[in-house]
Amino acid sequence: MNDQPEDDPLRERIASKLADLPPAERRVAEYLHDHAQEIIFATAGEIGAATDTSDATVIRTAKTLGYSGLPELKREAGSRAIGRTRPSARLRSRIDKASQQTGSLLDHVFTEATERLLETRRLITEEDFVAAVDLLTNAREVVSFGLGPSEMSAHYLTLRLRRLGRQARQISTTGFRLADDLLGLQKSDVVVLYVPGRLFNDVYVLLDHAQAVGCPVLLFSDSLLPVLADRVTLTLAAVHSGSGFTGEGLSALLLTDCVALGIAARDRDRATNTSELLNSLRNALTQPEPRKRTTRRPRRPEKGTAS
């Protein structure tokens, strides 16, 4: 059995429900209890095979334990592992797991990606999605912010919005330089935060300043939704990877595509006109460089000649 702290929520949930579980779900729960580290990297099918059950039984057990599904259970187990192990040790675990199943690695990674995306879709209501599109559509300027791998999501949103004819910029600075980028923030703007699972002081400073100027904040996150819920205007759950097999921004990037398409649908003319202008500029940039014109200087009259 793996050493785990007594305040482990997964162990507590299993202990409180184990006696009432049907035999098959009990086997799954006991396996989850004894293999908290391993399940982070396992699919529902692999856990089912290890417990002589099925992937459906594994998912049903996770829900019986109070989770929305296996991805949430794995994220909680993964977040606790992050606090107890060094990054190099976690990377070694991922590499070891991958090397053991090279033949099925594609299936494994795609299975995790599918689980994440399906769980993200399940968690987002139509009402929240429409509200997010409304918020960004009505913004004077959309200011996106993300750190580390999430910086890519922030950059992608800015690129997509500009190509739809919207005013958008990305803040990619940290520390003292962040202060300069915050100066232009206005009440009519919207801040979009891509913060999957870790908080930095920069995020708190940005949130404090947005609140001071009355600027709405849209948060793309996962485990931080409960932590920041009262500090932001709206949240969209972008399910994170507990194992690290799939990229941090996978769910957030797909949600960004959804939001961008929703904004384009609100003003088709602006979107299509901007697309045509973009195409025109690209065509101009791909044309051969015109020859430089040489300007002849007027000849100076020779000395001694009449002018």
Side-chain angles (χ1 to χ4, degrees):
M1 183 179 296
N2 293 337
D3 290 333
Q4 297 178 9
E6 291 302 320
D7 63 343
D8 190 318
L10 177 58
R11 292 186 70 193
E12 292 174 0
R13 293 194 193 200
I14 293 172
S16 66
K17 295 180 181 291
L18 189 63
D20 300 324
L21 294 177
E25 292 185 25
R26 187 179 305 167
R27 290 202 302 275
V28 172
E30 290 172 344
Y31 183 86
L32 297 176
H33 180 283
D34 295 342
H35 300 82
Q37 295 281 346
E38 291 89 334
I39 63 173
I40 299 170
F41 305 100
T43 64
E46 290 172 338
I47 297 174
T51 55
D52 195 24
T53 60
S54 65
D55 55 352
T57 303
V58 173
I59 295 169
R60 189 166 58 249
T61 305
K63 292 182 177 180
T64 302
L65 292 173
Y67 297 99
S68 61
L70 184 61
E72 184 184 6
L73 187 152
K74 289 165 62 175
R75 290 198 307 276
E76 183 170 85
S79 66
R80 299 194 65 79
I82 287 173
R84 298 194 302 268
T85 58
R86 298 190 307 276
S88 58
R90 297 197 300 272
L91 177 60
R92 191 181 306 113
S93 296
R94 287 199 297 270
I95 294 172
D96 290 344
K97 179 68 176 178
S99 63
Q100 292 169 9
Q101 52 181 25
T102 305
S104 61
L105 191 56
L106 275 173
D107 290 336
H108 191 90
V109 173
F110 272 83
T111 296
E112 179 179 291
T114 302
E115 288 178 351
R116 286 180 62 189
L117 297 180
L118 288 175
E119 183 70 0
T120 297
R121 175 62 189 93
R122 193 191 68 78
L123 292 173
I124 295 178
T125 66
E126 190 73 20
E127 181 182 5
D128 284 344
F129 175 72
V130 171
V133 173
D134 288 340
L135 202 61
L136 298 182
T137 300
N138 297 324
R140 180 195 71 91
E141 182 175 61
V142 175
V143 181
S144 60
F145 179 81
L147 293 173
S150 294
E151 186 178 344
M152 178 173 61
S153 300
H155 175 74
Y156 185 57
L157 174 66
T158 301
L159 183 66
R160 290 297 306 270
L161 291 181
R162 285 178 175 173
R163 290 180 177 181
L164 295 176
R166 304 284 170 170
Q167 190 72 21
R169 67 184 172 99
Q170 175 195 0
I171 295 179
S172 57
T173 55
T174 57
F176 279 4
R177 291 188 59 193
L178 175 61
D180 293 284
D181 285 328
L182 295 180
L183 289 177
L185 200 61
Q186 299 183 22
K187 184 177 182 179
S188 54
D189 298 338
V190 173
V191 170
V192 179
L193 286 180
Y194 291 92
V195 189
R198 297 180 65 189
L199 279 175
F200 297 89
N201 187 54
D202 304 67
V203 175
Y204 286 115
V205 172
L206 193 157
L207 287 171
D208 288 342
H209 185 63
Q211 183 178 14
V213 301
C215 175
V217 177
L218 171 61
L219 173 67
F220 287 80
S221 188
D222 179 8
S223 59
L224 294 178
L225 296 184
V227 180
L228 298 178
D230 60 342
R231 302 286 304 273
V232 301
T233 310
L234 183 66
T235 59
L236 292 180
V239 174
H240 190 43
S241 168
S243 68
F245 277 134
T246 51
E248 180 177 288
L250 175 65
S251 303
L253 285 171
L254 188 61
L255 276 178
T256 299
D257 280 327
C258 295
V259 170
L261 187 58
I263 293 171
R266 296 291 176 85
D267 193 342
R268 289 181 173 85
D269 289 341
R270 180 191 293 195
T272 54
N273 289 341
T274 305
S275 178
E276 290 174 2
L277 175 58
L278 180 65
N279 245 2
S280 174
L281 292 171
R282 284 173 172 171
N283 288 336
L285 289 168
T286 57
Q287 296 302 314
E289 186 179 356
R291 293 181 179 178
K292 294 180 180 179
R293 295 180 179 178
T294 55
T295 305
R296 286 188 176 185
R297 295 182 179 180
R299 294 179 62 185
R300 294 181 179 180
E302 296 179 7
K303 291 181 179 181
T305 60
S307 57

